[in-house]
Amino acid sequence: MKKIGLLSDTHGYWDDKFKIHFAECDEVWHAGDIGSLSLTAKFEAFKPFRAVYGNIDGADVRAAFPEFLRFYIEGVDVLITHIGGYPGKYDPRVRAILQTKPPKLFICGHSHILKVMYDKKFGCLDMNPGAAGKYGFHKVRTLLRFVIDAGNIRDLEVIELSD
């Protein structure tokens, strides 16, 4: 069993509340638009950290993290990228992957809109944690927390961060 903390679109902004809300998590995952390697260093010092780069990330972040990250954890096939879309509105590159070999869990960021949907067509759960940073049009900063256990994704929690 692994408890996961998921966020996206920090745009270089660190909030000490990340440590509070992810204290009991086994890993923290970031779905892009990280903003700086100094931010990733804070996460890496805190918890095991997985991330992808986003469209605002510079060459340093792009050199350190991939555009697409695919791995298995606790029996779940996971695919993370920054610009991915959602059921019925996928980015063409993501759609090609889903048509060939869909994961059980697909994660993206970019939209700054928290969205969790099950895609019946591809049999996968889509998660976008919204935006955890202060830059962008979003009104509420959000995080997700969930458990992956023996091939199941459960106990999903939405966390709203106040200023």
Side-chain angles (χ1 to χ4, degrees):
M1 180 180 89
K2 296 280 186 188
K3 192 164 194 176
I4 308 300
L6 175 63
L7 72 167
S8 184
D9 296 277
T10 48
H11 294 258
Y13 178 74
W14 173 263
D15 189 328
D16 287 332
K17 292 175 190 163
F18 298 158
K19 280 189 164 184
I20 294 167
H21 292 294
F22 293 159
E24 295 182 19
C25 293
D26 298 298
E27 295 187 14
V28 174
W29 300 350
H30 197 301
D33 278 3
I34 298 164
S36 72
L37 288 178
S38 62
L39 185 77
T40 65
K42 288 182 181 183
F43 282 112
E44 289 169 333
F46 171 57
K47 294 285 179 178
F49 183 69
R50 300 181 199 238
V52 295
Y53 71 77
N55 58 295
I56 66 102
D57 290 315
D60 57 343
V61 174
R62 289 171 187 246
F65 297 97
E67 181 179 11
F68 288 89
L69 181 60
R70 191 159 192 170
F71 57 95
Y72 283 85
I73 184 169
E74 296 290 318
V76 173
D77 181 8
V78 179
L79 174 64
I80 305 175
T81 194
H82 183 59
I83 300 175
Y86 55 91
K89 299 274 186 178
Y90 290 114
D91 177 89
R93 293 180 307 149
V94 169
R95 188 171 39 256
I97 294 168
L98 295 176
Q99 289 171 336
T100 305
K101 188 179 178 201
K104 185 166 188 174
L105 176 58
F106 171 64
I107 295 169
C108 67
H110 186 62
S111 71
H112 292 222
I113 300 168
L114 186 143
K115 201 177 275 198
V116 178
M117 303 172 70
Y118 184 74
D119 188 331
K120 292 178 187 176
K121 180 177 179 180
F122 296 114
C124 71
L125 182 62
D126 288 43
M127 288 186 186
N128 184 325
K134 291 196 168 193
Y135 303 104
F137 65 88
H138 56 281
K139 303 277 190 237
V140 178
R141 296 182 305 117
T142 54
L143 311 170
L144 292 177
R145 203 167 45 198
F146 57 96
V147 170
I148 297 179
D149 186 17
N152 295 305
I153 304 158
R154 60 179 173 81
D155 300 336
L156 177 67
E157 299 172 89
V158 173
I159 300 160
E160 293 185 353
L161 299 172
S162 58
D163 292 324

